[in-house]
Amino acid sequence: MAPRARPDAAAAAHRAAAQVASVLLLATLGEPAGSRVCDCLNWKQVYGEGLAECGEGAELFHFLARAGVSARDARWIQRENPAWASICTEFFTKLDTDRCVNVAVHPHGRAGLPGSSWCYVSSDCRSLNGGSPLADTYSFFGLGGRAVSWKRCARGADPLLADMPPGDLLELATS
């Protein structure tokens, strides 16, 4: 005859299963109707307020994919290589809009992440669509999570930089 589980162990297992079920339910429900926590944030403000460093989201994806470099190594290379750093200093940190940006430089006809666009959102957003929360650099101090995550944008639901008329793009580029 098999040994019987102790009542306290069975109760603990039941509580753990209930917690997992509630997390999964929240992840599938998405955001409440009318919620704005998944609206894209202004790029220039995100970097200017120190909410993210360029390279923590999908900024360097194009370089990573072409060079076969890990995201961790890309942050180091970015600091040492002016060509890689310029995508941050000359584009992302100056981008004064909340529109989604293409993940890859030439996304047309590409499937998955390379064919999509992305932006930073509040860390309260659960509908990241394949994006992710930023790594919590200070988690070993127990200081809590980061204020932003990045999400993949959905055409028709999110404003895309690629959908702007050329005149508006020119105005944004020269402002």
mmCIF file of all heavy atoms in Angstrom, residues 9-10 12 22 66 70 74 80 89-90 94 111 115 136-137 143-144:
data_model
loop_
_atom_site.group_PDB
_atom_site.id
_atom_site.type_symbol
_atom_site.label_atom_id
_atom_site.label_comp_id
_atom_site.label_asym_id
_atom_site.label_seq_id
_atom_site.Cartn_x
_atom_site.Cartn_y
_atom_site.Cartn_z
ATOM 1 N N ALA A 9 0.843 18.720 3.199
ATOM 2 C CA ALA A 9 1.492 18.651 1.892
ATOM 3 C C ALA A 9 0.448 18.696 0.779
ATOM 4 O O ALA A 9 0.638 19.360 -0.248
ATOM 5 C CB ALA A 9 2.331 17.382 1.776
ATOM 6 N N ALA A 10 -0.676 18.003 0.972
ATOM 7 C CA ALA A 10 -1.747 18.018 -0.031
ATOM 8 C C ALA A 10 -2.342 19.422 -0.155
ATOM 9 O O ALA A 10 -2.619 19.895 -1.259
ATOM 10 C CB ALA A 10 -2.827 17.004 0.331
ATOM 11 N N ALA A 12 -0.807 22.244 0.493
ATOM 12 C CA ALA A 12 0.188 23.104 -0.149
ATOM 13 C C ALA A 12 0.192 22.869 -1.659
ATOM 14 O O ALA A 12 0.277 23.820 -2.447
ATOM 15 C CB ALA A 12 1.572 22.848 0.440
ATOM 16 N N SER A 22 -4.506 30.624 -11.624
ATOM 17 C CA SER A 22 -4.904 32.036 -11.661
ATOM 18 C C SER A 22 -3.946 32.848 -12.531
ATOM 19 O O SER A 22 -4.366 33.745 -13.248
ATOM 20 C CB SER A 22 -4.989 32.632 -10.255
ATOM 21 O OG SER A 22 -3.726 32.682 -9.648
ATOM 22 N N ARG A 66 21.846 39.248 -38.082
ATOM 23 C CA ARG A 66 22.858 39.192 -39.139
ATOM 24 C C ARG A 66 24.197 38.678 -38.636
ATOM 25 O O ARG A 66 24.916 37.994 -39.347
ATOM 26 C CB ARG A 66 23.040 40.569 -39.771
ATOM 27 C CG ARG A 66 21.837 40.979 -40.592
ATOM 28 C CD ARG A 66 22.003 42.329 -41.221
ATOM 29 N NE ARG A 66 23.141 42.340 -42.112
ATOM 30 C CZ ARG A 66 23.803 43.431 -42.440
ATOM 31 N NH1 ARG A 66 23.453 44.592 -41.956
ATOM 32 N NH2 ARG A 66 24.831 43.373 -43.251
ATOM 33 N N SER A 70 24.624 37.119 -29.400
ATOM 34 C CA SER A 70 23.615 37.092 -28.339
ATOM 35 C C SER A 70 23.279 38.514 -27.908
ATOM 36 O O SER A 70 24.070 39.445 -28.092
ATOM 37 C CB SER A 70 24.133 36.307 -27.136
ATOM 38 O OG SER A 70 25.116 37.065 -26.456
ATOM 39 N N ALA A 74 25.664 41.793 -27.573
ATOM 40 C CA ALA A 74 25.333 42.961 -28.390
ATOM 41 C C ALA A 74 25.434 44.240 -27.586
ATOM 42 O O ALA A 74 25.872 45.271 -28.106
ATOM 43 C CB ALA A 74 23.931 42.817 -28.972
ATOM 44 N N GLU A 80 31.191 49.474 -27.912
ATOM 45 C CA GLU A 80 32.521 49.527 -28.514
ATOM 46 C C GLU A 80 32.507 49.850 -30.006
ATOM 47 O O GLU A 80 33.535 50.219 -30.551
ATOM 48 C CB GLU A 80 33.231 48.177 -28.297
ATOM 49 C CG GLU A 80 33.363 47.773 -26.846
ATOM 50 C CD GLU A 80 34.189 48.778 -26.045
ATOM 51 O OE1 GLU A 80 35.199 49.272 -26.569
ATOM 52 O OE2 GLU A 80 33.804 49.076 -24.891
ATOM 53 N N THR A 89 21.913 56.153 -30.779
ATOM 54 C CA THR A 89 22.141 57.579 -30.576
ATOM 55 C C THR A 89 21.529 58.453 -31.658
ATOM 56 O O THR A 89 21.143 59.586 -31.397
ATOM 57 C CB THR A 89 23.650 57.885 -30.482
ATOM 58 O OG1 THR A 89 24.284 57.464 -31.698
ATOM 59 C CG2 THR A 89 24.275 57.189 -29.283
ATOM 60 N N GLU A 90 21.426 57.936 -32.874
ATOM 61 C CA GLU A 90 20.914 58.745 -33.981
ATOM 62 C C GLU A 90 19.469 58.448 -34.356
ATOM 63 O O GLU A 90 18.880 59.170 -35.148
ATOM 64 C CB GLU A 90 21.806 58.577 -35.222
ATOM 65 C CG GLU A 90 23.230 59.022 -35.000
ATOM 66 C CD GLU A 90 23.339 60.475 -34.548
ATOM 67 O OE1 GLU A 90 22.610 61.331 -35.101
ATOM 68 O OE2 GLU A 90 24.139 60.749 -33.641
ATOM 69 N N LYS A 94 16.250 59.612 -30.183
ATOM 70 C CA LYS A 94 15.744 60.895 -30.699
ATOM 71 C C LYS A 94 14.308 60.784 -31.203
ATOM 72 O O LYS A 94 13.707 61.791 -31.563
ATOM 73 C CB LYS A 94 16.634 61.385 -31.836
ATOM 74 C CG LYS A 94 18.016 61.774 -31.373
ATOM 75 C CD LYS A 94 18.843 62.283 -32.530
ATOM 76 C CE LYS A 94 20.217 62.715 -32.050
ATOM 77 N NZ LYS A 94 21.027 63.245 -33.155
ATOM 78 N N ALA A 111 8.144 36.537 -41.937
ATOM 79 C CA ALA A 111 7.215 36.038 -40.919
ATOM 80 C C ALA A 111 7.826 36.194 -39.523
ATOM 81 O O ALA A 111 9.015 36.407 -39.375
ATOM 82 C CB ALA A 111 6.910 34.569 -41.190
ATOM 83 N N GLY A 115 9.308 40.176 -39.154
ATOM 84 C CA GLY A 115 8.304 40.851 -39.969
ATOM 85 C C GLY A 115 7.355 41.718 -39.177
ATOM 86 O O GLY A 115 6.386 42.238 -39.719
ATOM 87 N N ASP A 136 15.148 42.334 -14.876
ATOM 88 C CA ASP A 136 15.241 43.121 -13.651
ATOM 89 C C ASP A 136 16.673 43.067 -13.143
ATOM 90 O O ASP A 136 17.077 42.132 -12.468
ATOM 91 C CB ASP A 136 14.271 42.597 -12.598
ATOM 92 C CG ASP A 136 14.199 43.497 -11.382
ATOM 93 O OD1 ASP A 136 14.905 44.525 -11.356
ATOM 94 O OD2 ASP A 136 13.450 43.174 -10.466
ATOM 95 N N THR A 137 17.443 44.076 -13.485
ATOM 96 C CA THR A 137 18.858 44.146 -13.144
ATOM 97 C C THR A 137 19.098 44.062 -11.650
ATOM 98 O O THR A 137 20.091 43.523 -11.203
ATOM 99 C CB THR A 137 19.453 45.475 -13.667
ATOM 100 O OG1 THR A 137 19.083 45.618 -15.033
ATOM 101 C CG2 THR A 137 20.958 45.491 -13.548
ATOM 102 N N LEU A 143 14.290 44.764 -5.106
ATOM 103 C CA LEU A 143 13.705 46.083 -5.289
ATOM 104 C C LEU A 143 12.487 46.099 -6.208
ATOM 105 O O LEU A 143 11.956 47.146 -6.497
ATOM 106 C CB LEU A 143 14.763 47.054 -5.844
ATOM 107 C CG LEU A 143 15.951 47.292 -4.925
ATOM 108 C CD1 LEU A 143 16.963 48.208 -5.602
ATOM 109 C CD2 LEU A 143 15.502 47.903 -3.610
ATOM 110 N N GLY A 144 12.049 44.965 -6.704
ATOM 111 C CA GLY A 144 10.868 44.946 -7.562
ATOM 112 C C GLY A 144 11.222 44.987 -9.031
ATOM 113 O O GLY A 144 12.383 45.005 -9.408
#
